[in-house]
Amino acid sequence: MSKKMSRRELLRLMGAGAGAAVLAGCQPRVVVETVEVEKIVEVEKEVEKTVEVEKIVEQTVEVEKIVEKIVEVTAVPPPKEPEEILFWSTKSSGTELDGIEAMVARFNEENPDIILNHVGYETHDMFNTLLPTAFAGGAPPDIFDNVGFWWLFQLIESGDVLDVSDWYAENRDRYPPGTEAAYTHEGKTYAAPYHLGATNFIYSNVRALTDLGYSVADLDTFENMVEVFEAAGKADQVAIPQGFQGGWNATHWVSCLIDRAVGAQAATDTFFGRNGRRYTDPEIVEAVSHFKDFNDKGYFGIGAASEDYFVAQNRWLGEDLGVMFGLGSWNAGQITGAVDEGLEVEITMFPKMEDKALSETNNWIYWIHLFSAATNRADPQLLLRCLDALGSAEYQQIAFAHTQQLYAAKGATEGTQVHPLLRRLLDLYDDATNLVPVCDITIKSEVTYVMYDELIGILMGQVSVEDAMMHLDEALQESLS
Amino acid sequence: MTVRDRVSHWLLVLPALVFYVPLAILPIFFGLALSLTKWSGLGIGNLQFIGLANYGKLLNDRMFWGSVTATVKFSMLNVPLVLILGLIIAVAINTKLPLVGATRTAVLVPMAMSPIAVGILFTFLMSPSMGLVTRLFKNPLLVQNPNYAMVVIVLAQAWSALGITVFVFLSGLQAIPHEIYEAANIDGAGAFRRFAQITIPLLRETLIMITIITIIGAFKTFGLIFVLTQGGPYHATELLAYWMYKLAFLSHRMGYGSAVAIVLFSIIAVMTFVQLGTTRSGRARYY
């Protein structure tokens, strides 16, 4: 059966078709967009997840870093080779070497990360040849012994010595006041003080003195002391066996005589050419003239002509051949171990012009041994540890047990068996509150040997006191220029 | 000389130059440069160029002239002693007198000893407390006395240098033809005349050479002084070489010490040239 489509129906159908087509055209798009949105949502979720994962990863990395740090901090480091520290001292023989070797052994035992290698040299070689050559050649020791003004300031000026001011500021109360000038330069500190030498002490053989009809108390003034010298000569004794007419220049006696004449501070100024003081000053010439008189009148014996004057000194003492001897703290340690027990020795002070006691300002340290560190090490902490130990009372007690000499740190004799003779000396020293660190009559190294030569010249009658002091003054002025 | 010869010559001397240039030649120039400065020897920053001032100062330095005087005095005592003793011993050995072998050994042994060892030996001999010589002379202070110290140093140096002197004289004596002595014998010349008119004239070049060597040795004397006297007492034995050391290494005046070293070097160089000239002419004439 067939039915003809009217035009109206056709148009309606076409319209519907068109509409359907339009609708059909629109319908799929709606589906796609929905899918994409879903996808985007999924991706966003994925991204969120990724971000979360990344955050977790980041957190993990941070945790790992923290763990690494914790491991770094807490883990035991791999075994490290101990650092070798080269240590030069002037303690090259006898009890002094024993003392310092004992200190070094103790240090190495207590500090397994450091090997302190000690090499002891004879003083003359050390100061005159080895030390300057080692520094000039760029191969200095890490820690070195020096005697105050002798080399230290020259090395400081050439930038070779470690500034230990901070360490010293924390440890200042370890040491007696008055020693700092020996190792302080332009307000900075460069050493740990170690071994002291104090002059002005006269040792008397009490038995020999009594035989002459005198007592130690009679040595209270310069004039009385000279009277004892005269009496000794008349009794065929030697007044001062340690002096020596030939080869030894007896600088100790000269320093005492100058100290007596002008006081320690003025004497120091003279030796440094400071404050207008000079060797040619009349008081200095007069003081040295006493030295010449002592020699001319035969007060100095030849006991010290022996290669080892301590041996000679002990022989003279032991045989009651000499009345007085020695002027230095270092003699005590040598006497205590080498003479008969029956020998009675007393220590008195060298008579001053005004008979001042040791505790007043006219006294000095004759020399002071210092331990300094070179600037050649990248890590100065190791060197400071060495200086800290070597400069401590505990370590200096170790040396004292061998040498029975004076050490710089307070308490260096505590808990140690001290010979009564040295006890007396230590008491005198402990009373000292204003030590002037003169550190040898021959302050400036350039002048040292001129002084020695001129004193020998005086003893030998080869040069007058006036000319000798003029030569010395010329050398000092040359050095200062 | 071909290029190849020159190259081979230089190659042959190269091993020696490797040591000689840095250890001998360069230090001379370094010393020369230092002599124009004022320097303590510490820290190159402290070095100051002062031109010829050190040399000018030397001329007016009483210590320098004292040291020159001591060196000349030492040479004047040492050189004749070594020459006379050396010649006598060489003639004795050459004429084969009894105990020649023992004498030769005794004389030559000190040659093998360093000046430091000789110095230590003499230190023991002269020790005030236990020295053999000081006890024999009943004077404990020989080295410590300015009047005797120089004598001790001269004797020690002579003892040390005698061996080489005898050795050189002996070789000179043995180079003199026997026929000359035989002819003189036939002519009736006695022993003294043969010695004075044959031996001495024919040893002329040897004598000059050994004199110059001994003078150079005297100017270079250091080890003995260093060990025995350290230049003392009161500069009595302070010869130039020791004074130079003292200035440079004890007084830390490197520049001034170097100037002394250059002066000493110049003196020794002049004498060496004289000696070389003499040796060459001697060889041409007699050997």
Side-chain angles (χ1 to χ4, degrees), chain A residues 245-261:
Chain A
Q245 290 175 336
W248 184 59
N249 49 45
T251 49
H252 315 87
W253 287 88
V254 177
S255 67
C256 279
L257 289 163
I258 294 177
D259 173 25
R260 175 186 165 268

Side-chain angles (χ1 to χ4, degrees), chain B residues 116-147:
Chain B
I116 298 294
V118 174
I120 292 170
L121 185 71
F122 272 75
T123 303
F124 280 115
L125 288 171
M126 304 294 164
S127 163
S129 55
M130 58 181 185
L132 179 69
V133 178
T134 48
R135 288 192 177 206
L136 278 175
F137 283 86
K138 294 183 179 167
N139 184 345
L141 304 173
L142 291 174
V143 175
Q144 293 79 10
N145 186 316
N147 299 321

Side-chain angles (χ1 to χ4, degrees), chain B residues 85-108:
Chain B
L85 278 178
L87 187 57
I88 291 169
I89 294 169
V91 169
I93 292 172
N94 196 43
T95 49
K96 297 185 174 56
L97 290 173
L99 296 173
V100 161
T103 309
R104 188 164 43 206
T105 307
V107 165
L108 293 181

Side-chain angles (χ1 to χ4, degrees), chain A residues 128 132 135-136 151 154-155 158 244 246-247 302 305 307 445-446 449 453-454 456-457 460 462-463 471 478 481, chain B residues 38 40-43 46 57 62 127-130 140-141 144-146 233-235 238 245-246 249-253:
Chain A
N128 296 320
F135 274 98
W151 267 114
Q154 283 159 296
L155 291 170
S158 49
F244 174 34
I302 59 163
E307 282 71 27
S445 54
E446 297 93 324
Y449 290 88
D453 285 339
E454 295 303 326
I456 289 285
M460 292 281 119
Q462 301 286 306
V463 63
H471 297 156
E478 164 75 29
S481 73
Chain B
K38 185 175 183 180
S40 69
L42 275 178
N46 299 331
K57 199 185 289 179
R62 67 184 174 85
S127 163
S129 55
M130 58 181 185
L141 304 173
Q144 293 79 10
N145 186 316
Y234 200 59
H235 314 296
E238 203 161 84
Y245 159 80
K246 202 168 161 181
F249 296 102
L250 301 185
S251 297
H252 315 297
R253 297 169 71 185

Side-chain angles (χ1 to χ4, degrees), chain A residues 147-412:
Chain A
V147 185
F149 298 100
W150 199 325
W151 267 114
L152 189 63
F153 290 171
Q154 283 159 296
L155 291 170
I156 289 168
E157 282 166 4
S158 49
D160 289 318
V161 186
L162 188 68
D163 174 3
V164 297
S165 302
D166 293 341
W167 168 81
Y168 189 78
E170 290 170 12
N171 295 282
R172 176 169 280 139
D173 58 354
R174 282 185 185 181
Y175 306 104
T179 61
E180 286 168 14
Y183 44 94
T184 303
H185 186 59
E186 294 178 352
K188 292 181 178 174
T189 316
Y190 292 90
Y194 169 60
H195 183 190
L196 295 172
T199 187
N200 286 8
F201 303 108
I202 293 178
Y203 297 74
S204 299
N205 181 343
V206 176
R207 194 164 55 195
L209 201 58
T210 309
D211 289 348
L212 289 175
Y214 292 92
S215 69
V216 173
D218 293 327
L219 300 170
D220 55 346
T221 66
F222 184 77
E223 289 71 23
N224 288 349
M225 184 178 77
V226 172
E227 189 184 316
V228 172
F229 291 167
E230 283 290 330
K234 284 175 187 164
D236 287 333
Q237 291 234 8
V238 175
I240 311 163
Q242 198 181 17
F244 174 34
Q245 290 175 336
W248 184 59
N249 49 45
T251 49
H252 315 87
W253 287 88
V254 177
S255 67
C256 279
L257 289 163
I258 294 177
D259 173 25
R260 175 186 165 268
V262 296
Q265 194 57 59
T268 310
D269 288 343
T270 307
F271 304 150
F272 277 106
R274 289 188 307 223
N275 297 327
R277 287 276 178 185
R278 301 184 80 150
Y279 280 106
T280 46
D281 290 349
E283 309 99 294
I284 304 292
V285 173
E286 192 190 339
V288 180
S289 296
H290 282 301
F291 171 70
K292 181 174 161 45
D293 287 345
F294 280 14
N295 182 62
D296 291 349
K297 290 176 179 168
Y299 298 159
F300 292 131
I302 59 163
S306 161
E307 282 71 27
D308 180 349
Y309 70 77
F310 288 130
V311 172
Q313 165 190 291
N314 289 324
R315 184 169 66 82
W316 284 78
L317 279 170
E319 296 172 15
D320 283 346
L321 293 169
V323 183
M324 296 167 63
F325 59 98
L327 285 173
S329 59
W330 53 93
N331 291 69
Q334 305 293 329
I335 295 160
T336 52
V339 294
D340 297 338
E341 286 180 9
L343 179 73
E344 193 183 343
V345 176
E346 185 57 86
I347 303 176
T348 49
M349 296 307 301
F350 190 90
K352 304 286 181 185
M353 188 71 91
E354 298 165 22
D355 298 328
K356 289 178 181 173
L358 178 68
S359 57
E360 294 182 39
T361 58
N362 62 341
N363 297 286
W364 61 26
I365 295 169
Y366 190 66
W367 43 254
I368 178 166
H369 272 269
L370 308 165
F371 290 145
S372 296
T375 49
N376 59 336
R377 283 268 178 173
D379 181 9
Q381 289 307 316
L382 289 175
L383 304 182
L384 280 175
R385 278 171 58 194
C386 298
L387 291 184
D388 187 66
L390 297 171
S392 69
E394 190 188 349
Y395 271 68
Q396 291 180 10
Q397 278 173 17
I398 299 171
F400 182 86
H402 288 80
T403 63
Q404 297 271 302
Q405 294 187 10
L406 288 178
Y407 289 90
K410 287 178 185 171

